[in-house]
Amino acid sequence: MAKKPLIGICLPNKGNFFAELFIRLNLYLSGAKSVSLRANNHISKDKIDGMILSGGSDINPVLYGGRKDAHNTKLDKKRDAFELDMISYAVKRKIPIFGICRGAQLLNIFFEGDLYPTILDFDEYIIHQNSIFPIKDVYVKKKTKLFDILKKDKIKANSIHNQAINKVGESLKVTAEHEGLIQAIEKRNYPFMLAVQWHPEYLFYIKEHRELFNDFVKACNKKKGWNFFVSIIELIFVLYERIYSPFKTERTVDLLVFSSLVILIILISPFSV
């Protein structure tokens, strides 16, 4: 069996329990091990083969030339500084990077882009819904890494953010949008640097979102060993997508299926490392 790549997950010193849990689950399903990287504890950074910038609190607006009060949540300046250092560390070593929500925004800032401090700064009349379930249409641009992974030019995604990318950073390319809001960016001529505004970790029961993690892990290690538990879980997902998906109509049904899959996977998969 091939050696599994080790993925570092950038997280705050406290909190983000469920985000970490589901990111670890997705990485396990993709054949990788994972380790937490926090400002107060990142001794494993020299061992990582890839890095995930997870979601969380608003980013300090001072970092992108915004007003000091231009934020909606409590700031975590220590985390901001740590993760910007980690991006620099990874870029210098060409380590694959996958950004999620806040992670996409921070990656954009690293390359000298900026943000809309709130969605209303983009459009004061916009109706912006938040949900961990797929509620918005994301339009993917062709001839991009994201399109190559998803094999679709339109997907359903969730929405759990109150900030968004405004000016795109240098050498970054916009690869997806929703009602004019940037939903994904990527960098060319790099082993893997892709970031999305939604939270694919919570949509592991949908093939396209699992493929984001699969492709990221492949970029971290071309060799992927066979795993019995992963194979069984993938079979469960295939059956779900073929039998259940065409008939789903109620959000409550989504919740029941989602919860059932989580319980089943936790019971049969030793994914947490």
Side-chain angles (χ1 to χ4, degrees):
M1 184 179 290
K3 181 181 178 181
K4 295 182 178 182
L6 180 65
I7 310 301
I9 308 170
C10 290
L11 296 156
N13 286 325
K14 294 181 180 179
N16 273 33
F17 172 78
F18 287 107
E20 179 182 4
L21 177 70
F22 282 100
I23 289 172
R24 283 180 176 267
L25 168 60
N26 280 277
L27 290 173
Y28 175 82
L29 293 176
S30 298
K33 293 182 179 180
S34 55
V35 62
S36 301
L37 298 174
R38 308 176 192 271
N40 290 350
N41 184 6
H42 50 275
I43 58 174
S44 300
K45 75 174 187 178
D46 294 331
K47 302 176 183 177
I48 64 172
D49 302 298
M51 184 175 74
I52 287 181
L53 299 165
S54 69
S57 60
D58 287 359
I59 298 167
N60 184 0
V62 174
L63 294 174
Y64 56 89
R67 303 187 319 271
K68 290 184 179 180
D69 62 344
H71 57 92
N72 299 289
T73 68
K74 186 176 180 180
L75 299 179
D76 190 342
K77 296 179 183 179
K78 192 171 184 179
R79 181 186 183 189
D80 292 342
F82 164 67
E83 293 188 356
L84 285 171
D85 285 344
M86 283 302 304
I87 295 173
S88 178
Y89 174 87
V91 168
K92 288 177 181 177
R93 293 162 178 77
K94 296 288 185 180
I95 293 173
I97 301 173
F98 182 25
I100 296 173
C101 196
R102 167 196 152 94
Q105 297 162 8
L106 194 66
L107 197 61
N108 187 59
I109 290 171
F110 177 83
F111 286 99
E112 301 183 3
D114 63 21
L115 308 178
Y116 290 110
T118 72
I119 299 298
L120 295 179
D121 290 302
F122 167 73
D123 182 352
E124 62 180 316
Y125 299 109
I126 194 170
I127 298 175
H128 182 68
Q129 296 178 301
N130 281 322
S131 173
I132 64 170
F133 296 109
I135 60 171
K136 67 183 179 186
D137 292 325
V138 173
Y139 294 89
V140 181
K141 295 184 178 182
K142 294 183 178 180
K143 297 182 180 180
T144 63
K145 175 70 173 176
L146 183 62
F147 182 82
D148 290 343
I149 295 171
L150 302 177
K151 303 292 191 295
K152 290 184 177 181
D153 57 10
K154 178 184 174 182
I155 63 166
K156 282 285 187 180
N158 53 20
S159 181
I160 321 173
H161 67 105
N162 56 65
Q163 294 186 307
I165 293 173
N166 180 13
K167 185 186 78 173
V168 181
E170 293 181 11
S171 74
L172 296 178
K173 178 180 179 179
V174 176
T175 58
E177 294 184 352
H178 164 71
E179 295 183 352
L181 281 172
I182 294 172
Q183 295 296 305
I185 54 176
E186 62 186 51
K187 180 175 172 59
R188 292 180 176 178
N189 303 317
Y190 194 90
F192 185 106
M193 186 182 293
L194 189 152
V196 298
Q197 186 58 74
W198 67 92
H199 283 260
E201 70 270 32
Y202 297 129
L203 300 174
F204 63 92
Y205 53 94
I206 299 175
K207 180 181 179 182
E208 289 77 24
H209 300 285
R210 292 199 309 278
E211 286 301 323
L212 290 170
F213 287 93
N214 288 339
D215 204 81
F216 168 64
V217 170
K218 287 177 183 177
C220 298
N221 184 2
K222 295 296 183 180
K223 296 179 180 179
K224 182 178 177 182
W226 181 79
N227 185 293
F228 173 76
F229 290 109
V230 172
S231 299
I232 293 298
I233 294 166
E234 284 291 343
L235 176 60
I236 293 171
F237 285 137
V238 169
L239 291 174
Y240 159 72
E241 288 160 0
R242 292 186 178 180
I243 298 173
Y244 166 71
S245 291
F247 305 103
K248 66 179 180 182
T249 55
E250 298 292 337
R251 186 66 50 76
T252 51
V253 177
D254 261 349
L255 181 59
L256 288 172
V257 174
F258 178 84
S259 302
S260 300
L261 285 171
V262 170
I263 293 170
L264 178 61
I265 290 168
I266 289 175
L267 287 174
I268 69 173
S269 302
F271 66 85
S272 185
V273 297

